[in-house]
Amino acid sequence: MGKIIAVANQKGGVGKTTTAMNLAASLAVLEFKTLVIDADPQANTTSGLGQDPKLVEASIYECMIDGIEIESIVIPTQLEHLFLVPSHIDLVGAEVEMINMDNREEKMKEVISVVKDQYDFIIIDCSPSLGLITINALTAANSVIIPVQCEYFALEGLGKLLNTIKIIQTRLNPDLGIEGILLTMYDVRLRLSNQVVEEVRIHFKNMVFDTIIPRNVRLSESPSFGLPAISFDADGKGAIAYLNLAGEIVQRNGLQKATN
């Protein structure tokens, strides 16, 4: 049975899509069969993995709203063990269309349940909001990764997200755990980056991943080529950091090696 991990933070620009895309790619390189679901209307994970969102005929939106089978829209990527469920701009309207649906918070869970046994990991890239789509992702997930950038106001909004997670645990998904808090956009030259790392570690202790994602030009460039960092610049600091994160998650989950 695949482990479903949502990557969520309602704050934009914290490295959420970068994390979802590159973590999924790193798990695939470690030969874990991985599905990444783009649940963000901006569709950056979709384009970052080489698909043109404008040409996407069916996405997670059609699965949740129209009942299209998720298996029919899974797209293979350049990496052997990595697969994508794309997004497109129509997902923006999904929240309005879902308002009057029964079990509206569980639509994504229903969609994913059909394929979860076919993958080792399912990574969901959430939109930068705490709206209905993100709530759907958290209801479907086993755990959540929270990216936090090493910048001023890093902890702003984190309390709100943790409170939302608590509400979802109470009402919708009692099994939802926090996989970890991931520090991103770390600049070794800045005293502020080091202060943020220290502050987050003091506040959240064991919840924080050992791996820290650095600011890295190649990491930022890779999506424009439709490639994850590990395919674009395998020796780069960004790619290596995400490979380390994947290793840390594999270890935390007591997994030894991929199941073929």
Side-chain angles (χ1 to χ4, degrees):
M1 184 183 291
K3 174 146 196 185
I4 305 167
I5 303 175
V7 182
N9 191 333
Q10 78 275 21
K11 209 169 181 289
V14 298
K16 201 163 37 310
T17 294
T18 302
T19 295
M21 190 172 91
N22 287 294
L23 170 60
S26 297
L27 288 165
V29 165
L30 296 175
E31 297 190 357
F32 289 94
K33 192 179 179 188
T34 305
L35 178 67
V36 58
I37 297 176
D38 191 349
D40 183 349
Q42 294 173 81
N44 290 336
T45 291
T46 301
S47 58
L49 289 174
Q51 300 297 319
D52 184 345
K54 293 181 188 136
L55 302 178
V56 168
E57 290 180 14
S59 69
I60 190 68
Y61 166 85
E62 281 78 13
C63 295
M64 292 168 69
I65 303 297
D66 302 327
I68 285 180
E69 290 289 331
I70 191 170
E71 296 106 314
S72 68
I73 67 160
V74 171
I75 302 170
T77 69
Q78 287 115 324
L79 291 171
E80 184 186 351
H81 300 286
L82 181 63
F83 300 84
L84 168 71
V85 169
S87 176
H88 58 57
I89 194 68
D90 286 358
L91 195 59
V92 168
E95 304 214 352
V96 177
E97 293 182 56
M98 291 165 73
I99 290 291
N100 296 318
M101 284 185 173
D102 294 333
N103 302 324
R104 62 188 180 192
E105 298 90 354
E106 298 186 359
K107 291 297 167 191
M108 194 180 293
K109 184 178 182 178
E110 290 167 15
V111 167
I112 295 174
S113 66
V114 184
V115 293
K116 70 178 178 184
D117 292 341
Q118 297 170 28
Y119 296 91
D120 297 306
F121 287 97
I122 297 175
I123 309 294
I124 308 172
D125 181 23
C126 297
S127 60
S129 76
L130 290 179
L132 196 49
I133 301 296
T134 298
I135 288 167
N136 260 267
L138 294 173
T139 302
N142 302 119
S143 65
V144 54
I145 289 174
I146 305 168
V148 172
Q149 83 282 36
C150 297
E151 292 174 2
Y152 198 60
F153 295 136
L155 299 179
E156 191 185 59
L158 198 53
K160 193 174 179 184
L161 175 60
L162 292 170
N163 194 44
T164 301
I165 289 168
K166 207 170 281 183
I167 291 166
I168 287 167
Q169 286 168 333
T170 307
R171 300 183 189 170
L172 295 164
N173 184 2
D175 299 325
L176 180 65
I178 294 175
E179 192 73 30
I181 292 171
L182 177 67
L183 291 156
T184 63
M185 303 179 186
Y186 175 76
D187 189 336
V188 70
R189 298 165 302 176
L190 298 180
R191 183 189 295 174
L192 177 62
S193 280
N194 293 304
Q195 286 173 341
V196 171
V197 169
E198 200 177 328
E199 195 176 343
V200 172
R201 289 204 190 282
I202 288 167
H203 270 79
F204 297 103
K205 301 181 174 65
N206 295 340
M207 284 167 65
V208 186
F209 286 110
D210 293 334
T211 303
I212 297 176
I213 308 300
R215 273 198 180 280
N216 180 250
V217 174
R218 305 292 275 171
L219 195 58
S220 306
E221 285 176 346
S222 66
S224 63
F225 291 87
L227 292 168
I230 203 150
S231 301
F232 181 63
D233 180 22
D235 297 327
K237 286 181 180 175
I240 289 166
Y242 276 109
L243 204 51
N244 289 339
L245 175 65
E248 205 175 328
I249 287 169
V250 167
Q251 201 172 7
R252 282 187 179 203
N253 286 280
L255 301 168
Q256 295 302 314
K257 57 176 186 171
T259 50
N260 293 319

